[in-house]
Amino acid sequence: MMLSVEKRSKLDESDDTYFYDVPRFVNHVDNAFIMQLTELYRQILPTHGHVFDMMSSWVSHLPAEMEFAEVVGHGMNEEELARNPRLDRYFMQNLNQKQLFPLEDSSFDAVLNAVSVQYLQYPEAIFAEIWRVLKPGGVAIVSFSNRMFYQKAIQVWRDGSDASHVQLVCKYFESVPGFDSIEVAKRTGRSLQGSTGFLSFLRPPNDPFFAVIARKAA
């Protein structure tokens, strides 16, 4: 296993269900981060594709003009998920207790995870599930900043830096045979840098932006 028991530990080991029982109708990152994420989605996600928004909430940050065949959501608070206008259906599940998704093999063109990867205690199993539900050639986008519910983030994330977080998520993908073309997009200063040439914004950021993008081998 990639992580030791200690590295998977949380300061608050109580059932996550209780922590997420109360809806939080707020954005957990700033507007500049959201704009950057939406633009990344705009440039990568296939129009009319099937999308799985994992660990979602009341917003998905998908481009308003893009249409998808279906967007399936997952989360821990039903009120938040029910408020999300982009979700066609959703399910609730504590991924730290049950890692298998109730989803068919090779059924999604894209799997998204926004600002939530830091809470996964068994990321190897979850990333294997991401691979399983992706279609060949499908894309997974895991985005994050430096914000977190500190008491619910795993130790390796709490103790890490921005650079180590990027490396860690890359290792999560690398732990699953069958992911290839792993890329990192990040915003430094006034621009977003990445090997695929994403659009840059002139507004100076407050929250740093990072995304790790990987594709299931065709």
Side-chain angles (χ1 to χ4, degrees):
M1 299 294 283
M2 180 188 303
L3 301 179
S4 66
V5 173
E6 182 180 17
K7 289 182 178 180
R8 299 178 198 274
S9 67
K10 301 177 293 183
L11 294 176
D12 178 0
E13 292 286 358
S14 64
D15 191 331
D16 293 336
T17 303
Y18 303 121
F19 183 79
Y20 295 104
D21 187 54
V22 177
R24 297 175 174 89
F25 296 113
V26 298
N27 290 319
H28 298 285
V29 283
D30 66 11
N31 288 336
F33 182 104
I34 293 170
M35 290 174 62
Q36 210 77 75
L37 180 60
T38 300
E39 181 59 29
L40 184 62
Y41 288 165
R42 181 176 288 113
Q43 297 194 25
I44 291 181
L45 297 182
T47 302
H48 304 302
H50 292 261
V51 175
F52 175 40
D53 188 11
M54 185 181 80
M55 304 175 79
S56 185
S57 64
W58 66 291
V59 288
S60 292
H61 309 307
L62 295 168
E65 77 281 3
M66 290 189 72
E67 296 182 1
F68 301 97
E70 184 180 44
V71 180
V72 178
H74 153 265
M76 291 283 288
N77 186 279
E78 188 165 14
E79 289 184 62
E80 292 182 10
L81 296 172
R83 181 81 68 89
N84 190 327
R86 298 309 300 264
L87 302 183
D88 296 295
R89 59 185 174 98
Y90 60 83
F91 65 95
M92 296 173 59
Q93 182 173 319
N94 185 341
L95 298 181
N96 289 332
Q97 294 181 354
K98 182 179 180 182
Q99 286 77 54
L100 299 180
F101 302 152
L103 303 169
E104 296 182 2
D105 294 356
S106 303
S107 53
F108 291 94
D109 299 286
V111 175
L112 313 177
N113 181 273
V115 296
S116 298
V117 67
Q118 60 268 29
Y119 307 119
L120 294 174
Q121 291 184 285
Y122 304 97
E124 308 96 328
I126 296 300
F127 276 65
E129 279 292 279
I130 293 173
W131 180 90
R132 180 183 67 81
V133 302
L134 276 174
K135 298 177 182 179
V139 64
I141 304 174
V142 177
S143 59
F144 49 92
S145 187
N146 57 2
R147 296 199 197 186
M148 69 186 91
F149 293 124
Y150 194 79
Q151 68 273 40
K152 284 296 184 180
I154 62 174
Q155 185 192 68
V156 68
W157 196 278
R158 297 194 312 269
D159 294 346
S161 63
D162 288 342
S164 71
H165 295 159
V166 172
Q167 294 172 357
L168 184 64
V169 176
C170 287
K171 288 180 180 178
Y172 290 166
F173 279 117
E174 292 166 356
S175 72
V176 183
F179 276 118
D180 59 17
S181 65
I182 299 172
E183 303 177 69
V184 175
K186 61 183 179 179
R187 186 177 55 195
T188 58
R190 292 174 176 265
S191 65
L192 177 67
Q193 300 176 344
S195 57
T196 52
F198 304 124
L199 181 66
S200 297
F201 288 91
L202 295 178
R203 175 180 174 177
N206 293 314
D207 292 339
F209 176 92
F210 303 96
V212 181
I213 304 124
R215 292 189 178 273
K216 182 175 181 176

